[in-house]
Amino acid sequence: MMTNYDDYGVPVGAYREPESLTHQAFRVARAFVLYRLKPRIQQIRDGKWSWRRSISLGKIIIAVWFITLYWGERKVFNSSIDSCRWEAWEKWDSNANPHRLVFIADPQLVDPHTYPGRPWPLNTLTVKHTDLYLRRTYSRIQKVLYPDSVILLGDLFDGGREWSTPTTKSPEAQYRKYGDSFWLKEYDRFGRIFFGHWGDGGMLPRLGQPGRKIISSIPGNHDLGFGKGIQIGVRRRFNAYFDDGNRIDIIGNHTFVSIDSVSLSALGQENADSMKEIWEPTMEFLDGAKNQKQRFVQRTLREQQGLSPNLPYAHEMIEAHQLAKAALPHFSEQVTEFPTILLTHVPLYREPGTPCGPLREHWPPSQPPKGQTEPPEKDDRNAISVSGGYQYQNVLHREVTKDIAEKVGDIQYAFSGDDHDYCEVVHRAYPSGGGGIREITVKSISWAMGVRHPGVLLVSLWNPVDAHGNRLEKDSTEPTLQTHLCLLPDQLGTFIRYATLFGITIFSLVGRAALVASGRIITTQLNDNPLLPLTEHASSAENEKAGLSSQPQATFKDSISSNSSTSSERANLQVRSTNARTRSVSPVSGYGLPPAQGNYGNYTYPLVQHAGYYGPPDEDKKEMKVWGSVSTAKQKPKKKGFALFIQELRNSLFLVATIVFPWYFWLIWHG
């Protein structure tokens, strides 16, 4: 078979493209298995392996961090939401199919108004972590609880009232640089959390439910301001994107009446007549609330019977003189109203010191006096403070609360926000649906609002009715609504655990480095144990002892026979004479290749294909390293004392950080 050569005397096809990165990575992995993993497995088989040799302080710390981070970024969120499953606390009959609703209060997205003096990057990290917390909990609620409806009770933003509009400016000079563009960015941020993750658990309604609904139109004092501090331009902007705060919804055969209580509060302040533009829309809504409730119930009952929600218009001609007496079709038949539920951001008025109950976290109930088992009727420590300040008021005015109760009528339940902590009271001083108005102030969902355990309120609604709105249950006195406080993870406590473990990590690694530097712990320093074994060239004397010549006398047959030699023979490399280095100037003579010597049989490849290793000068040969047996080359002197302490501490910290931080960022990124 003839061999073709190119112009430089190189056989055509003798060389290939360099290996790909994938192939190189495979070879490194193969070397790791052969030289590291396989010997370790062999030690285990031979009984030479022990746990004491394999376990180190760094590995233990890494394992503890892995478990702690998974617990803090996954386990606590999963377990807290899983413990709130509807089946665990609902107490309806087995044939009930209740409407399931979640109340969310005061997310108050952290912005420049929240911590105005907090420096970068602490403020940025606070924004990122609070958003991450809201997104995780809300997404988990959608996936695990899958509520039919979600209602937010105001204070969607923290500084929304401060961001200027084309017609208004912030009353505080430090926030006037933030305008409509900044508010729109905050709105997009809010939407990516609460609207973007609305469908994480799915979009289809549960069996027997009309559909899924999210309501976020109730404004808070941080969204608009409070009373006379509200600017009309700010409110118009909020209503344009979130809808009017005054509305009526029929949910689960219950009538939900939402009011803009922060605007209505201007009615209870000085010079109320001059602020009529602020409170008048809510008051007009309340004036027609009873008729609106009746009409909404009638429309809902018609829909449940498969009829059109509105009455059809009469197809008849009306003479001009009859227009004054003509009227649109209206419902003449009276129906039984559904239980009325009031939704307001600001809690209703109560006497100072009215207790909030045992579920209040920040200020639990005071201990009753000796000899008494009932909690005290007045407990200032456990109560919502009846007070106010700049752009806020903890409860509505007494007169405003009374007007709301009278104009809405038959209120059985009320749900509010603003306070950030849980509070449950029964108002018996106002007109109600019987037994007083049971009001629950919902906890904030954000961990940055002063409560260690944020929360949401789960509400289960079950009120089966006939075509006229009458209850089908045998016992009409049974409640149609059940609630459950769902507590969320203590994020601040998680950070404290991280900080504690970080301190333990530093202390442990510093102690280990000190013991190594003092000689109490013997360890191999870095670079003493490479991934693959290294060797150096044998000296000329060693070659002569092995019966090898330093002259280039290798033949093709010798190279073939060397492939079948023993491992000890393969460890020795032949060295060509330095005289063979010289090349001629002209490529005509084959770039100075020496003439073929010896008998090579039918082998006709040029000698350049078998060029040996020329090697460095003799004085450098002792320090050369190639693949082979154990290395005996010169090594740098090992560090001692403080230098060894710094090296061990740096290396151990680097080892832990390079493994723990990627794990933490992966948990956050995929959270």
Side-chain angles (χ1 to χ4, degrees):
M1 180 177 179
M2 298 296 296
T3 303
N4 298 323
Y5 300 91
D6 57 17
D7 295 338
Y8 300 102
V10 178
V12 176
Y15 297 101
R16 295 177 296 178
E17 291 293 328
E19 293 180 345
S20 65
L21 293 177
T22 303
H23 194 200
Q24 294 180 33
F26 174 77
R27 295 187 61 178
V28 172
R30 180 176 178 271
F32 176 81
V33 172
L34 291 177
Y35 292 99
R36 284 293 182 86
L37 191 59
K38 190 174 180 179
R40 186 63 56 86
I41 295 175
Q42 189 61 39
Q43 288 181 356
I44 296 175
R45 291 178 177 177
D46 297 341
K48 299 179 180 180
W49 179 85
S50 65
W51 282 101
R52 188 173 181 180
R53 293 181 181 179
S54 300
I55 295 179
S56 64
L57 179 62
K59 294 177 182 177
I60 294 175
I61 291 176
I62 291 173
V64 172
W65 271 110
F66 259 63
I67 297 172
T68 303
L69 290 176
Y70 181 81
W71 170 86
E73 304 300 323
R74 289 289 188 276
K75 183 64 177 177
V76 293
F77 288 92
N78 297 340
S79 60
S80 64
I81 303 299
D82 289 345
S83 64
C84 298
R85 291 182 180 271
W86 306 94
E87 301 82 3
W89 57 270
E90 285 180 328
K91 298 179 181 179
W92 305 115
D93 292 337
S94 58
N95 60 346
N97 183 21
H99 187 96
R100 292 164 172 172
L101 182 148
V102 174
F103 280 116
I104 296 176
D106 303 272
Q108 278 187 236
L109 301 187
V110 175
D111 53 33
H113 179 267
T114 311
Y115 304 106
R118 182 169 291 187
W120 184 93
L122 185 59
N123 193 45
T124 302
L125 291 175
T126 304
V127 171
K128 296 296 183 182
H129 273 286
T130 52
D131 285 5
L132 176 64
Y133 185 92
L134 293 174
R135 184 167 60 251
R136 280 179 174 173
T137 53
Y138 183 74
S139 176
R140 191 68 184 169
I141 287 172
Q142 297 298 328
K143 292 178 181 178
V144 177
L145 303 181
Y146 197 63
D148 302 308
S149 299
V150 170
I151 300 179
L152 290 99
L153 295 172
D155 273 0
L156 312 182
F157 310 107
D158 189 74
R161 68 191 180 205
E162 306 292 345
W163 317 141
S164 303
T165 70
T167 58
T168 63
K169 289 185 178 180
S170 173
E172 299 190 47
Q174 58 180 328
Y175 302 123
R176 290 174 185 168
K177 61 182 178 180
Y178 302 101
D180 263 346
S181 59
F182 185 81
W183 189 92
L184 289 173
K185 291 180 181 178
E186 295 297 286
Y187 173 77
D188 177 69
R189 178 179 157 206
F190 176 88
R192 281 186 276 112
I193 296 174
F194 292 100
F195 301 149
H197 292 277
W198 166 248
D200 283 0
M203 295 298 294
L204 297 177
R206 291 190 306 113
L207 185 64
Q209 300 299 327
R212 304 190 71 214
K213 179 182 292 187
I214 179 171
I215 299 174
S216 58
S217 59
I218 302 174
N221 59 301
H222 281 267
D223 301 317
L224 305 185
F226 187 86
K228 62 182 180 181
I230 294 177
Q231 302 183 78
I232 300 302
V234 173
R235 188 172 68 184
R236 287 174 179 170
R237 178 178 60 189
F238 183 89
N239 292 347
Y241 285 88
F242 290 101
D243 203 357
D244 193 353
N246 304 304
R247 58 184 290 165
I248 295 178
D249 297 275
I250 304 296
I251 302 175
N253 289 346
H254 289 72
T255 304
F256 286 76
V257 180
S258 305
I259 62 171
D260 179 2
S261 56
V262 292
S263 297
L264 184 62
S265 295
L267 188 62
Q269 296 179 333
E270 296 180 359
N271 302 321
D273 292 339
S274 63
M275 297 178 288
K276 192 174 182 180
E277 189 179 7
I278 297 177
W279 56 261
E280 188 175 34
T282 304
M283 183 56 68
E284 290 179 351
F285 169 79
L286 290 175
D287 289 338
K290 290 183 178 179
N291 293 332
Q292 285 279 74
K293 285 167 53 181
Q294 183 73 211
R295 186 165 63 253
F296 272 72
V297 171
Q298 289 169 329
R299 292 177 57 183
T300 302
L301 292 174
R302 287 180 60 86
E303 287 179 343
Q304 292 177 357
Q305 299 172 54
L307 303 175
S308 173
N310 298 308
L311 293 176
Y313 292 97
H315 294 275
E316 59 183 13
M317 297 294 293
I318 299 177
E319 299 296 335
H321 65 276
Q322 296 177 338
L323 287 176
K325 297 181 180 180
L328 295 174
H330 61 279
F331 297 103
S332 59
E333 182 183 5
Q334 294 295 319
V335 296
T336 303
E337 287 192 11
F338 295 154
T340 300
I341 298 174
L342 177 69
L343 305 181
T344 168
H345 175 70
V346 184
L348 302 178
Y349 179 83
R350 74 285 312 273
E351 292 295 331
T354 303
C356 286
L359 296 180
R360 190 165 178 80
E361 174 188 335
H362 193 62
W363 298 111
S366 301
Q367 294 295 329
K370 292 183 178 180
Q372 295 184 9
T373 57
E374 295 293 330
E377 294 183 1
K378 186 176 180 180
D379 189 352
D380 292 328
R381 179 174 180 268
N382 183 243
I384 293 179
S385 174
V386 181
S387 59
Y390 173 72
Q391 294 283 42
Y392 82 93
Q393 192 169 289
N394 292 336
V395 297
L396 296 174
H397 281 287
R398 185 198 301 268
E399 293 75 13
V400 173
T401 303
K402 184 178 179 181
D403 282 346
I404 294 173
E406 291 177 349
K407 292 179 181 296
V408 174
D410 297 331
I411 301 175
Q412 295 187 11
Y413 301 91
F415 296 94
S416 57
D418 185 68
D419 187 65
H420 300 171
D421 205 350
Y422 187 89
C423 182
E424 184 173 351
V425 299
V426 177
H427 302 278
R428 303 186 187 276
Y430 311 109
S432 65
I437 302 174
R438 180 190 172 199
E439 180 186 2
I440 295 179
T441 300
V442 182
K443 269 195 166 190
S444 172
I445 192 177
S446 174
W447 67 272
M449 293 298 115
V451 288
R452 291 287 295 270
H453 288 276
V456 296
L457 187 70
L458 309 186
V459 179
S460 181
L461 308 169
W462 177 237
N463 182 33
V465 297
D466 59 15
H468 300 284
N470 299 311
R471 289 194 65 184
L472 297 178
E473 292 292 322
K474 296 179 180 180
D475 188 359
S476 59
T477 61
E478 286 294 321
T480 61
L481 179 150
Q482 296 177 9
T483 63
H484 178 76
L485 173 60
C486 182
L487 295 177
L488 303 178
D490 177 10
Q491 185 64 50
L492 184 59
T494 299
F495 287 153
I496 292 175
R497 289 182 177 88
Y498 289 169
T500 303
L501 182 56
F502 178 78
I504 294 175
T505 299
I506 297 298
F507 179 80
S508 302
L509 295 181
V510 167
R512 176 189 177 277
L515 293 175
V516 171
S518 63
R520 297 185 180 182
I521 296 180
I522 307 300
T523 180
T524 56
Q525 296 188 34
L526 215 60
N527 299 329
D528 290 344
N529 193 18
L531 174 63
L532 300 177
L534 301 175
T535 187
E536 66 176 1
H537 277 293
S539 62
S540 300
E542 292 171 342
N543 288 338
E544 290 176 0
K545 291 180 180 179
L548 300 176
S549 173
S550 62
Q551 299 300 323
Q553 297 177 355
T555 65
F556 180 68
K557 294 181 179 180
D558 294 334
S559 64
I560 295 176
S561 62
S562 66
N563 291 333
S564 59
S565 62
T566 62
S567 59
S568 61
E569 292 172 343
R570 285 199 303 267
N572 300 316
L573 300 178
Q574 297 182 6
V575 182
R576 297 185 63 184
S577 171
T578 56
N579 296 330
R581 287 183 175 182
T582 307
R583 290 177 178 263
S584 64
V585 177
S586 173
V588 176
S589 58
Y591 282 89
L593 294 174
Q597 298 179 3
N599 183 15
Y600 298 103
N602 296 327
Y603 181 68
T604 58
Y605 283 175
L607 190 59
V608 69
Q609 300 303 313
H610 306 286
Y613 175 69
Y614 296 108
D618 293 340
E619 61 273 12
D620 296 336
K621 288 182 179 180
K622 293 183 179 181
E623 297 183 3
M624 286 298 298
K625 296 181 180 181
V626 296
W627 302 110
S629 58
V630 180
S631 172
T632 58
K634 294 181 179 179
Q635 298 182 3
K636 295 181 180 180
K638 294 183 178 180
K639 295 181 180 180
K640 298 180 180 180
F642 184 73
L644 178 58
F645 170 81
I646 295 298
Q647 174 181 284
E648 286 293 329
L649 180 60
R650 183 184 65 247
N651 293 342
S652 56
L653 286 175
F654 180 77
L655 173 65
V656 173
T658 51
I659 298 177
V660 170
F661 276 107
W663 172 240
Y664 177 62
F665 290 130
W666 185 88
L667 290 173
I668 292 179
W669 185 263
H670 296 275

